[in-house]
Amino acid sequence: TYYKPGGPCFFYTGNEGALEEFYYNTGFPFDNAPSLNALIVFAEHRFYGGSRPFGDSPTRAQLGLLSVEQVLADYAILIEALEDRYGDLEIIALGGSYGGMLSAWFRIKYPHLVDMALAASAPLRMVSQLTTPGEFFSAVTDT
Protein backbone atom coordinates (compact mmCIF):
# COMPACT_ATOMS: atom_id res chain seq x y z
CA THR A 1 0.00 0.00 0.00
CA TYR A 2 1.13 3.55 -0.69
CA TYR A 3 -1.05 5.27 1.86
CA LYS A 4 0.40 7.42 4.60
CA PRO A 5 -1.67 9.70 6.85
CA GLY A 6 -2.36 12.98 5.09
CA GLY A 7 -2.38 11.40 1.63
CA PRO A 8 -5.47 11.54 -0.57
CA CYS A 9 -7.78 8.67 -1.47
CA PHE A 10 -8.18 7.72 -5.12
CA PHE A 11 -11.73 6.36 -5.13
CA TYR A 12 -12.57 4.53 -8.35
CA THR A 13 -16.30 4.63 -9.04
CA GLY A 14 -16.90 1.17 -10.47
CA ASN A 15 -19.07 0.84 -13.51
CA GLU A 16 -20.90 -1.75 -15.56
CA GLY A 17 -18.75 -4.80 -15.07
CA ALA A 18 -16.73 -6.85 -12.67
CA LEU A 19 -14.29 -4.79 -10.65
CA GLU A 20 -11.27 -6.70 -11.92
CA GLU A 21 -11.97 -5.62 -15.51
CA PHE A 22 -11.32 -2.01 -14.49
CA TYR A 23 -8.72 -2.59 -11.79
CA TYR A 24 -6.24 -4.17 -14.18
CA ASN A 25 -6.78 -1.51 -16.86
CA THR A 26 -6.57 1.68 -14.80
CA GLY A 27 -3.12 3.19 -14.54
CA PHE A 28 -3.70 6.68 -13.14
CA PRO A 29 -4.11 5.85 -9.44
CA PHE A 30 -1.28 3.34 -9.45
CA ASP A 31 1.04 5.70 -11.34
CA ASN A 32 0.41 8.58 -8.94
CA ALA A 33 -0.25 6.97 -5.56
CA PRO A 34 3.41 6.41 -4.58
CA SER A 35 4.41 10.07 -4.91
CA LEU A 36 1.20 11.29 -3.22
CA ASN A 37 1.04 8.65 -0.45
CA ALA A 38 -2.45 7.90 -1.68
CA LEU A 39 -4.93 5.27 -0.61
CA ILE A 40 -6.46 3.46 -3.60
CA VAL A 41 -10.02 2.14 -3.33
CA PHE A 42 -11.97 0.46 -6.11
CA ALA A 43 -15.70 0.32 -5.38
CA GLU A 44 -17.69 -2.27 -7.27
CA HIS A 45 -21.02 -1.14 -8.77
CA ARG A 46 -24.05 -2.91 -7.35
CA PHE A 47 -25.48 -5.70 -9.55
CA TYR A 48 -22.12 -6.23 -11.32
CA GLY A 49 -19.22 -8.58 -10.66
CA GLY A 50 -19.49 -10.06 -7.19
CA SER A 51 -21.95 -7.38 -6.02
CA ARG A 52 -25.14 -9.16 -6.98
CA PRO A 53 -27.51 -9.06 -4.02
CA PHE A 54 -30.15 -11.14 -5.82
CA GLY A 55 -27.97 -13.53 -7.80
CA ASP A 56 -27.91 -13.79 -11.58
CA SER A 57 -31.65 -13.34 -12.19
CA PRO A 58 -33.08 -10.40 -10.24
CA THR A 59 -36.79 -9.66 -10.54
CA ARG A 60 -38.11 -6.47 -12.11
CA ALA A 61 -38.82 -5.09 -8.64
CA GLN A 62 -35.29 -5.91 -7.49
CA LEU A 63 -33.86 -4.19 -10.57
CA GLY A 64 -35.52 -1.04 -9.27
CA LEU A 65 -32.58 -0.90 -6.87
CA LEU A 66 -30.18 -0.63 -9.83
CA SER A 67 -30.03 3.13 -10.22
CA VAL A 68 -27.46 5.89 -10.27
CA GLU A 69 -28.92 7.30 -7.06
CA GLN A 70 -28.55 3.96 -5.29
CA VAL A 71 -24.98 3.36 -6.42
CA LEU A 72 -23.95 6.89 -5.41
CA ALA A 73 -25.49 6.26 -1.99
CA ASP A 74 -23.46 3.01 -1.78
CA TYR A 75 -20.29 4.95 -2.54
CA ALA A 76 -21.17 7.60 0.08
CA ILE A 77 -21.59 4.90 2.74
CA LEU A 78 -18.24 3.40 1.74
CA ILE A 79 -16.51 6.81 1.96
CA GLU A 80 -17.97 7.33 5.44
CA ALA A 81 -16.66 3.92 6.52
CA LEU A 82 -13.22 4.73 5.08
CA GLU A 83 -13.13 8.00 7.00
CA ASP A 84 -14.17 6.20 10.18
CA ARG A 85 -11.11 3.99 9.70
CA TYR A 86 -8.53 6.44 8.30
CA GLY A 87 -9.79 9.81 9.53
CA ASP A 88 -10.61 12.75 7.29
CA LEU A 89 -9.52 11.95 3.72
CA GLU A 90 -9.25 14.08 0.62
CA ILE A 91 -11.38 12.03 -1.77
CA ILE A 92 -10.61 12.10 -5.47
CA ALA A 93 -13.33 10.19 -7.31
CA LEU A 94 -12.26 8.85 -10.68
CA GLY A 95 -13.58 6.70 -13.44
CA GLY A 96 -13.92 6.40 -17.19
CA SER A 97 -16.95 6.42 -19.46
CA TYR A 98 -19.98 5.51 -17.31
CA GLY A 99 -17.67 5.34 -14.28
CA GLY A 100 -16.51 8.85 -15.13
CA MET A 101 -20.09 10.05 -15.20
CA LEU A 102 -20.57 8.45 -11.78
CA SER A 103 -17.48 10.29 -10.50
CA ALA A 104 -18.82 13.64 -11.70
CA TRP A 105 -22.31 13.00 -10.33
CA PHE A 106 -20.82 11.75 -7.05
CA ARG A 107 -18.96 15.06 -6.63
CA ILE A 108 -22.13 17.02 -7.46
CA LYS A 109 -24.44 15.04 -5.17
CA TYR A 110 -22.01 14.57 -2.26
CA PRO A 111 -19.69 17.62 -2.27
CA HIS A 112 -19.19 17.22 1.49
CA LEU A 113 -17.59 13.80 0.84
CA VAL A 114 -15.86 14.19 -2.53
CA ASP A 115 -13.18 16.86 -2.94
CA MET A 116 -12.50 16.35 -6.64
CA ALA A 117 -13.66 14.20 -9.54
CA LEU A 118 -11.77 13.03 -12.59
CA ALA A 119 -14.32 12.03 -15.21
CA ALA A 120 -12.32 10.54 -18.08
CA SER A 121 -14.12 9.95 -21.38
CA ALA A 122 -17.43 10.59 -19.65
CA PRO A 123 -20.19 11.36 -22.18
CA LEU A 124 -22.09 13.63 -19.77
CA ARG A 125 -23.56 15.81 -22.51
CA MET A 126 -24.95 12.80 -24.33
CA VAL A 127 -26.74 11.43 -21.30
CA SER A 128 -28.09 14.83 -20.26
CA GLN A 129 -29.59 15.31 -23.75
CA LEU A 130 -27.45 18.38 -24.42
CA THR A 131 -26.34 16.89 -27.71
CA THR A 132 -27.93 15.24 -30.71
CA PRO A 133 -28.16 11.45 -30.96
CA GLY A 134 -25.09 10.12 -32.71
CA GLU A 135 -22.85 13.10 -31.91
CA PHE A 136 -20.83 11.07 -29.42
CA PHE A 137 -20.27 8.24 -31.90
CA SER A 138 -19.31 10.71 -34.64
CA ALA A 139 -16.78 12.33 -32.33
CA VAL A 140 -15.13 9.05 -31.41
CA THR A 141 -15.09 7.58 -34.91
CA ASP A 142 -14.35 10.65 -37.06
CA THR A 143 -11.42 12.02 -35.05
Side-chain angles (χ1 to χ4, degrees), residues 10-11 20 40 44 71 74 83 85-86 89 94 134 142:
F10 290 136
F11 187 88
E20 294 81 9
I40 300 174
E44 189 164 66
V71 76
D74 291 345
E83 290 192 331
R85 179 174 178 173
Y86 293 99
L89 293 166
L94 59 106
D142 295 341

Side-chain angles (χ1 to χ4, degrees), residues 56-123:
D56 291 335
S57 301
T59 66
R60 181 182 283 288
Q62 292 166 335
L63 283 174
L65 299 172
L66 175 58
S67 69
V68 168
E69 293 80 10
Q70 290 287 333
V71 76
L72 294 179
D74 291 345
Y75 295 160
I77 290 167
L78 181 52
I79 293 291
E80 290 170 346
L82 288 167
E83 290 192 331
D84 285 345
R85 179 174 178 173
Y86 293 99
D88 190 34
L89 293 166
E90 291 181 8
I91 303 296
I92 302 168
L94 59 106
S97 193
Y98 171 56
M101 292 189 296
L102 290 171
S103 291
W105 293 328
F106 193 28
R107 168 75 174 122
I108 292 166
K109 182 150 180 82
Y110 295 95
H112 62 288
L113 295 177
V114 180
D115 297 287
M116 186 175 107
L118 175 60
S121 302

Side-chain angles (χ1 to χ4, degrees), residues 3-67:
Y3 180 69
K4 292 181 184 163
C9 174
F10 290 136
F11 187 88
Y12 187 88
T13 51
N15 32 337
E16 72 286 5
L19 184 64
E20 294 81 9
E21 294 174 28
F22 303 101
Y23 180 88
Y24 292 112
N25 292 295
T26 304
F28 179 84
F30 299 102
D31 293 343
N32 292 282
S35 65
L36 298 172
N37 301 318
L39 177 67
I40 300 174
V41 175
F42 274 68
E44 189 164 66
H45 193 299
R46 60 172 48 206
F47 285 81
Y48 292 100
S51 302
R52 295 187 212 168
F54 306 106
D56 291 335
S57 301
T59 66
R60 181 182 283 288
Q62 292 166 335
L63 283 174
L65 299 172
L66 175 58
S67 69

